[in-house]
Amino acid sequence: MRIGDAKTSYAADEALLQNSDQKLGLVVLLLVLALYPFVAGPYWVYLACLVAINVASATGLNILTGFTGLVSLGQAAFMGVGAYTVAWMQIHLGTPVAVNLIAGGLTAGVVGIAVGIPSLRVKGLYLAIATIAASVILHFVFQNWTSVTGGTTGLSMPAASVFGIELDRPEELYWLIVPVACLMVLGAANLFRTRIGRAFIAIRDRDISAEVLGIPLLRYKLISFGLSSFYAGVAGGLWAYFFRVVTPESFPLVMSIFFLAAIIVGGMGSILGGILGAVFMTLVPEVLKMAVGWLAPILPDAVAVLSPVRTIVFGALIVGFLIFEPQGLAEIWRRLRRFFHLWPFRT
């Protein structure tokens, strides 16, 4: 049991890893991530790459919605901007992967700032509708700017190449996607130790009070939109390298709803919540699909009968979290940690 957790300086209070348990946990996590592709099968490595992409995008949306309090349903469209930017640069310029990903993030960030301009006058449901409108406009651009996006046919791009090594399989792309996602999560965690991150939280808690305290609302709201869209753009670039085909149908509105549901289920206003929510939303449908497959030998019509049930169960799990644990998976994790910190004594 850990007793006593007093901090003797501001630096200690602001540290990302505040005790030896957290440092040990980080080391174990990094070891697991490093060893994972050597012990997991190709399908599970594929899922790990997909989870990492979703974690990066969900973390960006959490900066905007969870920490700044600005609802957005345009995350998938911003991912599309990043994906198209990366695909176009890879096809026509052949620039390095790192340059392409940064350019994709910056392009999406600029678009996100433009979309965020109405956020000074509207918020809540009205802002959500504004981001849906932006998503529709961007989808129209993806379909009709054929000289850049390829129209409805889309863009097919070559495999990523790092230091002359082609990354064309999930087992190889894992070493690109997962480290980039980890760096993005680390950046988001550090963000909220800074003046900018604290301004985001103040705006979320009470924007009028934040303005009275001297926080320029429009500037910080646009910064939040830009950062969130940058994360989406980089995630979209990783998505493009992973699937190597980018079309307008790759980033529908339902994907934006997916990311919003992920941060709600995981826990808004928590870096861990964005991670857990993205993992949950990505893996649970796969686990349910596997369960249906296991029942197929027993029930000949299991796939046809249980596939709709699988979708219902997945939706019921999300609704269950909203009703019984509105603070999400992150709160469940914190509760478990508190239990074991005090074990064998009861709170």
Side-chain angles (χ1 to χ4, degrees):
M1 179 181 72
R2 192 178 76 226
I3 56 172
D5 196 23
K7 308 296 188 304
T8 57
S9 67
Y10 284 114
D13 190 51
E14 293 176 352
L16 280 178
L17 304 176
Q18 298 186 352
N19 55 65
S20 57
D21 293 345
Q22 293 179 357
K23 294 175 183 176
L24 178 62
L26 178 62
V27 171
V28 171
L29 175 62
L30 293 177
L31 285 174
V32 169
L33 292 176
L35 295 174
Y36 181 83
F38 299 105
V39 298
Y43 176 69
W44 290 103
V45 175
Y46 164 87
L47 283 181
C49 293
L50 196 57
V51 165
I53 294 170
N54 290 341
V55 164
S57 189
T59 300
L61 183 60
N62 214 359
I63 291 173
L64 181 66
T65 301
F67 286 97
T68 317
L70 303 174
V71 181
S72 172
L73 285 171
Q75 196 73 352
F78 299 138
M79 284 183 68
V81 172
Y84 274 110
T85 302
V86 167
W88 189 89
M89 292 181 67
Q90 185 69 46
I91 294 168
H92 297 284
L93 303 179
T95 43
V97 170
V99 174
N100 295 342
L101 290 176
I102 293 172
L106 291 175
T107 305
V110 170
V111 174
I113 290 173
V115 172
I117 291 174
S119 64
L120 184 64
R121 295 210 173 254
V122 297
K123 54 185 174 181
L125 180 61
Y126 300 100
L127 182 58
I129 296 299
T131 58
I132 291 176
S135 179
V136 172
I137 293 170
L138 287 172
H139 195 270
F140 177 83
V141 172
F142 297 157
Q143 283 187 319
N144 293 279
W145 196 6
T146 54
S147 60
V148 174
T149 65
T152 55
T153 305
L155 299 176
S156 297
M157 56 187 290
S161 178
V162 178
F163 301 119
I165 302 173
E166 266 201 1
L167 310 177
D168 58 353
R169 295 183 303 152
E171 294 87 347
E172 297 161 346
L173 284 164
Y174 178 92
W175 300 105
L176 169 66
I177 294 172
V178 172
V180 170
C182 290
L183 287 174
M184 295 173 75
V185 170
L186 179 63
N190 272 293
L191 173 67
F192 295 99
R193 302 164 64 203
T194 68
R195 177 186 179 88
I196 294 175
R198 289 169 180 168
F200 290 167
I201 295 171
I203 292 170
R204 177 196 65 190
D205 291 344
R206 181 70 68 178
D207 56 351
I208 297 176
S209 299
E211 189 173 25
V212 170
L213 291 172
I215 296 173
L217 293 187
L218 181 59
R219 180 194 306 170
Y220 282 101
K221 285 181 178 182
L222 293 183
I223 291 173
S224 183
F225 262 101
L227 283 172
S228 175
S229 302
F230 176 86
Y231 270 64
V234 174
L238 294 173
W239 191 97
Y241 279 122
F242 190 56
F243 291 101
R244 292 172 56 185
V245 176
V246 183
T247 66
E249 287 71 31
S250 301
F251 304 99
L253 178 62
V254 68
M255 183 183 284
S256 295
I257 298 172
F258 169 92
F259 287 117
L260 186 60
I263 64 171
I264 291 173
V265 169
M268 290 197 296
S270 165
I271 298 297
L272 179 62
I275 298 171
L276 295 178
V279 172
F280 177 90
M281 293 291 291
T282 307
L283 293 185
V284 167
E286 298 296 327
V287 172
L288 293 174
K289 183 164 59 176
M290 291 174 60
V292 171
W294 291 333
L295 292 174
I298 303 172
L299 301 173
D301 299 328
V303 176
V305 173
L306 297 180
S307 288
V309 176
R310 174 169 58 89
T311 305
I312 293 170
V313 170
F314 182 51
L317 286 172
I318 297 175
V319 174
F321 271 107
L322 294 175
I323 295 174
F324 299 107
E325 190 50 80
Q327 295 185 34
L329 292 166
E331 178 59 27
I332 295 175
W333 171 253
R334 285 190 288 265
R335 195 177 298 132
L336 287 172
R337 286 182 58 196
R338 285 196 297 268
F339 173 80
F340 285 105
H341 285 165
L342 297 173
W343 188 85
F345 304 102
R346 300 189 62 178
T347 56

